[in-house]
């Protein structure tokens, strides 16, 4: 009788939650049906954004990122593998030469085959340079959509299933649907991939799948997936200047997995197993270039754009922001700046890494991803505006833990890319996606609308006074409101007013300074938040050995 009574109480409690939850009809069938509904809508949004212009449209002679991706397809389907990264009479590396790791080249080959079937002249050697046609644009957009559907969307489902299995019993069912929407409908990723034109969904999807595997305690598959992500996208490492796009997360993966290995009964065996998986994955991906030292180093040399300088354009990181006062490029050599950026990146990663080595945990791992990616974005060599997508990924995964932070960072991440998206004539898509994100974030009954109450996950545990004080000030509605109002005014000024002739990039500099101030604040806040996780571990947890 007691079991029956308990079951009735649980049913009644669930019915009460459903009455208060306007989205129960979407989630009552489970996570997968909810995911399908949201995915279809997210796909339609991507298609709509794809109707807008792309990077470099009608701007010869080199056009933009769209032409770079198309040119790589042209090269990979018309030349043998050994010539993809080699300068020759048939492969002029000065014209969008392939400078991403081999997995990107293989992806370009597959997409190139697809384009060749339906529009051969769009990937014809030499004659296709600057190719722009309606069908060509449509086919190129479809390659990004298919990459999203085949890699990013399944990775989101994998993560959500694992994450909410761990969080079982916490929060409402509708929180799962809200979480899915926050990841799939992230406006920054959609604007860059389906507006500006790139394939970040592949590397971020592989990274997310690796994160989900870590949470599921599948460390060996996680290492393979992350190595694949590492071999797909790069934006130059401070040390090797390669593999960097996904290497933003390398310190977090290394420190968590290494810390976990140290807690096993046979740590050396665990390290060897992970090492073999990493070496094996790299060997398979790089196999066509391992026949000689010259071939391998020829590819590596293409992944090191040091000649571009420590920063380009107006990116909201440390080097570009402080260049207003310190002219880094004039005062120091490229080699010196490489050393400075390496030291700064490593030093700012160390606190997060140390915490995970000493006390590895899945929640600490997610915060570690966030902190290491911020370290790379703020201090590494040759950072682009688009690199802010990297910190946004782990924060999207932590959306239920950090709803206020997600809203604030998404706002300033979009703002930091606003000049870039303006050049691409994506202002309408920018406004529409931002409005959609805000509407979804504040959906009735969702965590975004409840972030002031005690029902959100980020307030389910007692926080330290220092964290609470920082959070209450930094994310106070008044502070956020003033900053948002200021940024709205800057948006209007940027679109309607010409800067002084003496300072042609004045507006970009002001946007950069505002966004940088927020990114620095986030970096301090999340590092403190991660270290506070250690305080909740008991002495028994610290001494526990994994089997």
């Amino acid at each position: 009788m007691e079991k029956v009574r308990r079951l009735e109480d649980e049913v009644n409690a669930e019915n009460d939650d459903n009455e208060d939850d306007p989205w129960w009809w979407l989630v009552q069938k489970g996570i997968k049906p909810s995911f399908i509904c949201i995915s279809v809508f997210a796909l339609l949004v991507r298609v709509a954004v794809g109707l807008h212009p792309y990077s470099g449209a009608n701007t010869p002679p080199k056009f933009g990122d769209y032409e770079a991706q198309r040119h790589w397809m042209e090269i990979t389907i018309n030349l043998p593998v050994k010539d993809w990264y080699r300068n020759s009479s048939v492969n002029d590396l000065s014209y969008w030469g392939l400078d991403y790791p081999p997995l990107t080249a293989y992806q370009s080959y597959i997409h190139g085959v697809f384009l060749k079937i339906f529009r051969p002249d769009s990937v014809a050697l030499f004659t296709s340079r600057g190719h722009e046609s309606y069908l060509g644009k449509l086919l190129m957009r479809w390659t990004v959509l298919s990459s999203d559907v085949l890699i990013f969307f399944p990775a989101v489902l994998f993560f959500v299933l694992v994450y909410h299995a761990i969080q079982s019993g916490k929060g409402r069912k509708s929180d799962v649907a809200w979480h899915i929407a926050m990841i799939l409908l992230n406006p920054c990723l959609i604007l860059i991939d389906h507006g500006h034109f790139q394939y970040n969904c592949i590397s971020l999807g592989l990274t997310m799948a690796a994160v989900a595997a870590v949470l599921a305690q599948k460390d060996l598959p996680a290492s393979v997936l992350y190595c694949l992500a590492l071999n797909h996208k790069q934006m130059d490492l401070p040390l090797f200047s390669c593999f960097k796009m996904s290497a933003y997360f390398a310190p977090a993966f290394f420190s968590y997995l290494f810390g976990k290995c140290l807690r096993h009964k046979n740590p050396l065996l665990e390290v060897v197993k992970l090492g073999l998986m990493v070496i094996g994955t790299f060997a398979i991906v790089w196999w066509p270039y391992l026949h000689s030292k010259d071939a391998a180093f020829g590819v590596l040399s293409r992944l090191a754009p040091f000649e571009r300088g420590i920063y380009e354009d107006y990116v909201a990181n440390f080097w570009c922001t402080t260049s207003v006062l310190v002219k880094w490029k004039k005062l120091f050599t490229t080699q010196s700046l490489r050393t400075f950026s390496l030291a700064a990146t490593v030093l700012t990663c160390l606190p997060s890494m140390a915490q995970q080595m000493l006390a590895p945990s899945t929640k600490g791992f997610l915060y570690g991803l966030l902190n290491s990616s911020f370290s790379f974005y703020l201090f590494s060599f040759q950072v682009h505006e688009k690199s802010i997508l990297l910190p946004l990924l782990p924060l999207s995964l932590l959306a239920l833990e950090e709803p206020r932070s997600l809203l604030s960072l998404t706002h300033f991440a979009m703002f930091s890319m606003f000049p870039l998206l303006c050049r691409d004539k994506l202002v309408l898509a920018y406004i529409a996606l931002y409005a959609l994100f805000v509407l979804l974030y504040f959906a009735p009954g969702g965590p975004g609308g409840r972030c002031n109450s005690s029902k959100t996950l980020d307030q389910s545990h007692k926080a330290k006074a220092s964290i609470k004080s920082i959070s209450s000030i930094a994310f106070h509605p008044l502070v956020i409101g003033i900053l948002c109002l200021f940024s709205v005014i800057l948006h209007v000024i940027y679109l309607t007013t010409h800067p002084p002739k003496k300072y042609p990039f004045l507006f970009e500099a002001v946007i950069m300074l505002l966004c940088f101030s927020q990114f620095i604040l986030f970096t301090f806040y999340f590092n403190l938040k991660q270290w506070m996780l250690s305080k909740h571990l008991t002495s028994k947890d610290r001494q526990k050995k994994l089997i």
Side-chain angles (χ1 to χ4, degrees):
M1 289 297 293
E2 185 178 348
K3 289 184 178 180
V4 173
R5 198 176 298 112
R6 190 181 307 147
L7 183 60
E8 288 177 350
D9 291 340
E10 290 177 359
V11 171
N12 291 332
E14 186 173 345
N15 289 334
D16 290 339
D17 285 342
N18 287 343
E19 290 177 4
D20 296 333
D21 190 350
W23 304 106
W24 66 269
W25 55 272
L26 179 64
V27 296
Q28 63 177 337
K29 298 294 184 180
I31 292 178
K32 292 180 182 178
S34 304
F35 177 82
I36 292 172
C37 292
I38 297 170
S39 295
V40 171
F41 179 69
L43 195 61
L44 292 175
V45 170
R46 284 161 166 78
V47 171
V49 173
L51 299 175
H52 290 79
Y54 49 80
S55 170
N58 302 312
T59 56
K62 294 194 71 172
F63 302 91
D65 279 356
Y66 175 93
E67 170 62 11
Q69 300 290 343
R70 189 215 56 78
H71 181 64
W72 295 348
M73 299 177 196
E74 169 196 342
I75 292 299
T76 52
I77 67 168
N78 288 292
L79 299 180
V81 177
K82 62 183 178 65
D83 292 331
W84 288 355
Y85 293 91
R86 184 186 302 172
N87 194 48
S88 66
S89 59
V90 292
N91 185 15
D92 181 9
L93 294 181
S94 65
Y95 183 82
W96 295 118
L98 189 58
D99 57 2
Y100 275 26
L103 201 59
T104 293
Y106 306 149
Q107 164 234 311
S108 297
Y109 175 81
I110 294 171
H111 290 158
V113 170
F114 172 71
L115 260 69
K116 189 174 184 179
I117 293 172
F118 296 99
R119 188 70 190 258
D121 61 325
S122 67
V123 286
L125 193 62
F126 297 127
T127 59
S128 64
R129 283 193 179 185
H131 178 89
E132 292 184 301
S133 66
Y134 176 78
L135 180 58
K137 175 186 174 182
L138 186 64
L139 294 172
M140 290 285 284
R141 293 296 195 191
W142 274 105
T143 61
V144 186
L145 283 170
S146 62
S147 300
D148 248 332
V149 171
L150 295 175
I151 298 177
F152 189 76
F153 282 40
V156 174
L157 178 60
F158 181 25
F159 171 81
V160 169
L161 289 172
V162 173
Y163 180 82
H164 288 280
I166 296 173
Q167 299 286 342
S168 179
K170 296 181 181 179
R172 300 182 178 186
K173 287 184 178 180
S174 62
D175 290 353
V176 181
W178 184 86
H179 197 184
I180 295 170
M182 290 297 99
I183 302 173
L184 285 182
L185 290 160
N186 181 289
C188 298
L189 178 59
I190 296 174
L191 283 168
I192 293 300
D193 275 14
H194 299 274
H196 178 83
F197 198 93
Q198 284 193 341
Y199 295 93
N200 296 292
C201 57
I202 297 178
S203 58
L204 294 181
L206 291 169
T207 300
M208 195 186 312
V211 171
V214 166
L215 299 186
Q217 307 300 320
K218 306 293 183 183
D219 295 344
L220 296 182
S223 64
V224 172
L225 288 165
Y226 181 64
C227 286
L228 291 175
L230 208 56
N231 277 285
H232 180 265
K233 189 82 172 176
Q234 57 80 228
M235 285 187 180
D236 45 276
L237 257 171
L239 180 59
F240 301 109
S241 195
C242 59
F243 313 123
K244 183 184 172 189
M245 184 67 164
S246 296
Y248 276 55
F249 304 123
F253 274 94
F254 171 80
S255 57
Y256 172 78
L257 293 175
F258 185 67
K260 194 174 174 183
C261 287
L262 294 178
R263 290 160 65 89
H264 278 75
K265 291 182 178 179
N266 194 340
L268 182 60
L269 176 62
E270 298 302 317
V271 171
V272 169
K273 285 160 61 177
L274 288 173
L276 289 175
M277 296 301 288
V278 171
I279 293 170
T281 305
F282 269 80
I284 292 171
V285 173
W286 283 72
W287 186 255
Y289 305 101
L290 295 181
H291 62 278
S292 72
K293 185 187 296 184
D294 291 339
F297 277 99
V299 177
L300 287 172
S301 67
R302 289 294 304 152
L303 310 181
F306 289 127
E307 69 281 356
R308 298 179 188 173
I310 196 167
Y311 61 84
E312 282 186 281
D313 295 326
Y314 280 82
V315 59
N317 76 342
F318 173 80
W319 305 110
C320 191
T321 304
T322 56
S323 67
V324 175
L325 300 175
V326 181
K327 304 303 178 183
W328 299 103
K329 292 182 179 181
K330 293 181 180 179
L331 294 175
F332 301 98
T333 64
T334 299
Q335 181 58 45
S336 298
L337 292 175
R338 286 168 58 186
T339 304
F340 295 161
S341 66
L342 172 62
T345 306
V346 171
L347 287 173
T348 51
C349 281
L350 282 179
S352 174
M353 294 179 67
Q355 190 276 333
Q356 279 301 281
M357 287 184 186
L358 294 172
S361 66
T362 53
K363 184 178 287 188
F365 169 63
L366 292 175
Y367 277 100
L369 293 169
L370 185 52
N371 289 319
S372 66
S373 58
F374 260 126
S375 295
F376 273 76
Y377 177 83
L378 291 171
F379 298 104
S380 61
F381 197 93
Q382 250 298 308
V383 172
H384 296 261
E385 303 99 318
K386 296 160 282 190
S387 301
I388 196 60
L389 294 175
L390 280 297
L392 265 177
L393 177 67
L395 187 55
S396 298
L397 305 184
L398 283 164
L400 292 175
E401 304 279 348
E402 300 285 349
R404 289 183 185 177
S405 304
L406 176 64
L407 178 64
S408 184
L409 182 59
T410 301
H411 172 82
F412 288 105
M414 287 191 72
F415 193 29
S416 71
M417 297 190 296
F418 184 63
L420 170 70
L421 297 171
C422 275
R423 292 197 296 270
D424 294 339
K425 300 178 181 178
L426 292 169
V427 176
L428 180 60
Y430 176 96
I431 295 172
L433 280 179
Y434 184 79
L436 175 63
F437 177 79
V438 171
L439 287 172
L440 291 171
Y441 179 87
F442 288 108
R450 307 195 314 267
C451 63
N452 288 323
S453 71
S454 60
K455 293 183 179 180
T456 51
L457 290 179
D458 62 331
Q459 295 186 7
S460 60
H461 299 290
K462 290 183 178 180
K464 289 292 182 179
S466 58
I467 292 292
K468 293 182 73 175
S469 61
I470 293 175
S471 177
S472 62
I473 296 173
F475 303 119
H476 191 279
L478 181 60
V479 175
I480 296 297
I482 292 172
L483 290 172
C484 288
L485 178 61
F486 184 48
S487 63
V488 168
I489 293 171
L490 282 175
H491 276 91
V492 175
I493 292 174
Y494 190 89
L495 290 172
T496 60
T497 308
H498 294 288
K501 291 183 179 180
K502 189 177 180 181
Y503 304 104
F505 300 106
L506 175 64
F507 299 154
E508 286 88 348
V510 174
I511 292 171
M512 172 190 68
L513 288 166
L514 176 62
C515 295
F516 173 73
S517 67
Q518 297 305 300
F519 296 157
I520 282 289
L521 183 62
F522 277 120
T523 302
F524 280 111
Y525 171 72
F526 289 125
N527 271 281
L528 284 170
K529 196 77 178 282
Q530 183 182 343
W531 268 95
M532 289 304 167
L533 295 175
S534 301
K535 306 297 183 181
H536 299 297
L537 294 176
T538 64
S539 58
K540 183 178 179 180
D541 293 326
R542 294 178 184 277
Q543 298 172 2
K544 183 179 177 182
K545 293 287 184 179
L546 302 176
I547 300 175

